[in-house]
Amino acid sequence: MAQQAYMTETADGGSGPERPGTRLRRLAHRLSTGWRGDPRIWHRGAVLTALALLLALVMLVHAHIPNAVGNLGSLTETFLPWLGLAIPVLLVLGVVRRSAIALIAVLLPAIVWLNLFGGLLTDKAGSGGDLTVATHNVNADNPDPAATATDVAASGADVLALEELPASAVPVYEKALAPAYRHHAVVGTVGLWSKYPMTDVRAVDIKLGWKRAMRATVATPEGPVAVYVAHLPSVRVKIEAGFTARQRDKSADALGEAIADEPLRRVVLLGDLNGTMNDRSLNAVTSQLRSTQGAAGSGFGFSWPASFPMARIDQIMVRGAEPESSWTLPRTDSDHLPVAARVKLDTGS
């Protein structure tokens, strides 16, 4: 009896096992016949259609969503790529609802999302470059700083920035990184390690009252490069207050002013900015520099949280340099992933 359930009549009147392809064709035929015979496919699905249009509108005008209430605009921009997950959901619901107008409407947010992020789906990494840089928020509560230092040094970075360095762990990082880096400096809770000599090391005032940003001139074989390391204040998502980022935004403006006043033409910014390249509140910084991930990365390069990365808040940005490749490094004992990039320094006048 069970065998007969999988038998179908053959051309010569006999029977044999039904092939999977035959079952799929029969199912597709029933679906298409049902749609053709349904006069309401153009009349149902109004709610799905409205949701699809609203999704497209949010992605189109995200820069105009006001920050006045709970920094809603910045919150939307931080997780903007994830809005694309709603598209296949709406597509499936449109098929289940058998709504032609809803399925057509879903095309609009799909086109908008691809226009915004489609370029990140391709691998833009090249093989050139003459300077490798990396940055990592090591987490103040890191249980094994020596192992973390060894792991990030294995990236082969010529210049390495670390953020969230507790004073008690600095000697551990210094000892672990000494074999790979002859030069280093720590300012407050951020540090810079380099294979090349460093001069003009100083703190950068980002209006916090304590030191979480620094600047140094690195003497690379291609000439001097101003390297900035920054750890902008954290943001929080609270039900009663929304996306609280006022101090982060103030510090971003101060960092942008410092970079604008930088006399050296070639600049590299490394650090945890607690914001994405889409977040308008970082415009003071992002308007002056190029993201290595956006220009030469593969995929979105999400770096936080390390257990399930959802946003790239750890950034490498450059001016006077051409990004050649950009990538995330393997997970350490931190709640952030390290990120690295290789750039070609502009040697033009």
Side-chain angles (χ1 to χ4, degrees):
M1 182 70 69
Q3 185 178 5
Q4 290 179 356
Y6 292 92
M7 305 293 281
T8 185
E9 187 175 350
T10 61
D12 58 2
S15 61
E18 184 177 9
R19 294 187 297 272
T22 302
R23 293 199 297 271
L24 290 175
R25 285 195 295 271
R26 290 173 60 188
L27 177 61
H29 176 72
R30 285 198 298 269
L31 286 174
S32 62
T33 301
W35 280 65
R36 289 199 301 268
D38 186 352
R40 298 191 60 207
I41 62 172
W42 294 100
H43 301 284
R44 63 166 68 94
V47 173
L48 291 177
T49 300
L51 289 174
L53 295 177
L54 178 62
L55 178 62
L57 182 63
V58 169
M59 290 190 289
L60 274 173
V61 303
H62 65 86
H64 302 286
I65 299 175
N67 264 338
V69 179
N71 279 297
L72 183 59
S74 288
L75 177 60
T76 301
E77 290 166 336
T78 296
F79 299 103
L80 193 62
W82 291 95
L83 293 182
L85 292 179
I87 296 171
V89 174
L90 291 173
L91 180 63
V92 170
L93 291 176
V95 171
V96 171
R97 191 75 177 89
R98 299 205 323 192
S99 169
I101 192 170
L103 292 179
I104 293 173
V106 170
L107 290 175
L108 185 57
I111 292 171
V112 174
W113 191 92
L114 287 172
N115 182 62
L116 289 172
F117 303 110
L120 295 175
L121 300 179
T122 60
D123 187 351
K124 301 180 290 295
S127 57
D130 43 41
L131 183 71
T132 301
V133 297
T135 181
H136 188 25
N137 179 325
V138 296
N139 187 359
D141 298 321
N142 192 312
D144 195 348
T148 294
T150 301
D151 288 343
V152 292
S155 66
D158 301 306
V159 177
L160 170 64
L162 300 181
E163 303 87 46
E164 207 166 295
L165 292 169
S168 59
V170 168
V172 180
Y173 286 104
E174 291 176 329
K175 181 178 179 180
L177 293 172
Y181 300 96
R182 295 181 57 189
H183 312 276
H184 85 278
V186 175
V187 175
T189 60
V190 297
L192 186 65
W193 278 257
S194 172
K195 295 180 179 179
Y196 308 121
M198 298 192 307
T199 57
D200 300 328
V201 178
R202 61 176 182 268
V204 175
D205 183 10
I206 55 173
K207 311 301 181 184
L208 278 176
W210 67 95
K211 298 173 181 177
R212 282 179 39 156
M214 64 178 289
R215 177 244 182 246
T217 298
V218 176
T220 75
E222 286 71 32
V225 178
V227 178
Y228 284 77
V229 183
H231 183 194
L232 298 188
S234 299
V235 297
R236 297 288 185 269
V237 180
K238 301 178 181 178
I239 295 178
E240 71 278 8
F243 193 63
T244 58
R246 182 173 301 175
Q247 185 58 62
R248 191 277 313 265
D249 299 348
K250 181 180 178 181
S251 292
D253 290 341
L255 179 61
E257 290 177 9
I259 293 173
D261 293 337
E262 172 57 51
L264 291 182
R265 183 172 52 86
R266 294 181 294 195
V267 176
V268 174
L269 170 63
L270 308 167
D272 173 8
L273 302 190
N274 272 305
T276 69
M277 294 297 294
N278 295 315
D279 191 337
R280 79 197 64 175
S281 295
L282 300 184
N283 280 351
V285 175
T286 58
S287 63
Q288 303 184 67
L289 305 170
R290 236 178 134 191
S291 165
T292 59
Q293 182 66 27
S298 175
F300 291 93
F302 294 147
S303 63
W304 177 88
S307 57
F308 188 83
M310 297 183 66
R312 185 181 178 89
I313 63 175
D314 300 276
Q315 305 290 354
I316 299 176
M317 289 184 262
V318 298
R319 183 178 77 196
E322 182 65 27
E324 293 290 340
S325 56
S326 188
W327 63 96
T328 55
L329 296 170
R331 185 179 178 182
T332 69
D333 282 322
S334 172
D335 56 341
H336 291 243
L337 292 178
V339 298
R342 188 157 178 82
V343 302
K344 182 177 178 56
L345 297 177
D346 180 6
T347 56
S349 60

